[in-house]
Amino acid sequence: MQRARKEGWRSRAVYKLQEIDRKERLFAPGMTVVDLGAAPGAWSQYAARKTGGRGHVIGLDLLPMDPLPGVTGLVADFTEDEGLDALTAALEGAPVDLVLSDMAPNISGMSAVDQPRAMYLVELAVAFAREHLRPGGDFVAKVFQGEGFDAFVKDLRGSFAAVRLRKPAASRDRSREVYVVARNYRV
């Protein structure tokens, strides 16, 4: 966290997205980006910088986020209709170029509880992406390996031209988290 603060980032999570972006080249100036599970805002901050201030970045989280230049921050529950409605309204009908999701449930330590909760969140993120991504758009999300993971990846392959798994160096070795990078959405 000290390095992140020193470099002006909101959290060390930025290094995960930065590494994925170096390999995948996700961003371009003027893009519309949705960041689910945005607080404290490092991914939104990175997206705003990478879209050159001409893009539209919308970050949504249950927790409030200090304002960021070039980012519309929403405090809402993505699992509830009100949260989805607020996000849809903020888009003002614009198609989305990139959906990012770093959402994770509050961890109980019991995988029989945590894994289904995590899969539910990422499945909601995919449903949102399928509804709002422009053709050719991309999706990046944190996923935890475990029950339902293989079926989830297989399902994504039906909607995107390429699906890759990334385990950024900034992820803890013992963590089951990986990032799925789904490119070129096919409507």
Side-chain angles (χ1 to χ4, degrees), residues 76-117:
D77 185 344
F78 184 68
T79 67
E80 300 291 333
D81 287 341
E82 297 80 32
L84 189 54
D85 291 347
L87 185 52
T88 302
L91 284 169
E92 300 176 336
V96 177
D97 297 295
L98 175 62
V99 173
L100 303 170
S101 174
D102 202 26
M103 290 190 293
N106 290 329
I107 302 297
S108 71
M110 297 178 355
S111 63
V113 172
D114 296 336
Q115 183 65 17
R117 286 180 180 167

Side-chain angles (χ1 to χ4, degrees), residues 41-93:
W43 280 29
S44 291
Q45 185 182 19
Y46 182 83
R49 288 185 190 179
K50 292 296 284 190
T51 58
R54 295 192 308 275
H56 187 195
V57 178
I58 302 168
L60 179 138
D61 201 293
L62 285 169
L63 302 172
M65 189 169 69
D66 289 336
L68 281 165
V71 177
T72 301
L74 302 175
V75 179
D77 185 344
F78 184 68
T79 67
E80 300 291 333
D81 287 341
E82 297 80 32
L84 189 54
D85 291 347
L87 185 52
T88 302
L91 284 169
E92 300 176 336

Side-chain angles (χ1 to χ4, degrees), residues 4-185:
R5 276 199 200 112
K6 187 173 150 189
E7 293 177 5
W9 298 110
R10 296 254 170 119
S11 75
R12 61 183 288 283
V14 73
Y15 300 118
K16 297 173 187 180
L17 181 58
Q18 200 172 51
E19 182 180 330
I20 293 167
D21 184 38
R22 266 198 305 275
K23 292 176 179 169
E24 299 287 344
R25 294 193 168 103
L26 297 167
F27 296 92
M31 289 177 84
T32 297
V33 179
V34 171
D35 179 13
L36 302 171
W43 280 29
S44 291
Q45 185 182 19
Y46 182 83
R49 288 185 190 179
K50 292 296 284 190
T51 58
R54 295 192 308 275
H56 187 195
V57 178
I58 302 168
L60 179 138
D61 201 293
L62 285 169
L63 302 172
M65 189 169 69
D66 289 336
L68 281 165
V71 177
T72 301
L74 302 175
V75 179
D77 185 344
F78 184 68
T79 67
E80 300 291 333
D81 287 341
E82 297 80 32
L84 189 54
D85 291 347
L87 185 52
T88 302
L91 284 169
E92 300 176 336
V96 177
D97 297 295
L98 175 62
V99 173
L100 303 170
S101 174
D102 202 26
M103 290 190 293
N106 290 329
I107 302 297
S108 71
M110 297 178 355
S111 63
V113 172
D114 296 336
Q115 183 65 17
R117 286 180 180 167
M119 291 308 299
Y120 175 66
L121 290 174
V122 76
E123 287 166 1
L124 284 178
V126 169
F128 174 83
R130 286 180 172 140
E131 188 172 330
H132 294 279
L133 274 178
R134 66 165 175 76
D138 299 323
F139 175 76
V140 176
K142 176 172 25 189
V143 188
F144 294 93
Q145 294 174 309
E147 191 173 335
F149 175 80
D150 293 336
F152 170 76
V153 172
K154 183 179 178 186
D155 178 57
L156 273 183
R157 288 195 167 116
S159 300
F160 292 87
V163 177
R164 287 183 281 285
L165 301 176
R166 299 283 185 197
K167 175 85 171 175
S171 290
R172 291 179 169 85
D173 289 338
R174 67 184 179 278
S175 173
R176 294 180 304 117
E177 83 175 11
V178 293
Y179 288 83
V180 63
V181 180
R183 306 297 307 262
N184 194 10
Y185 177 59

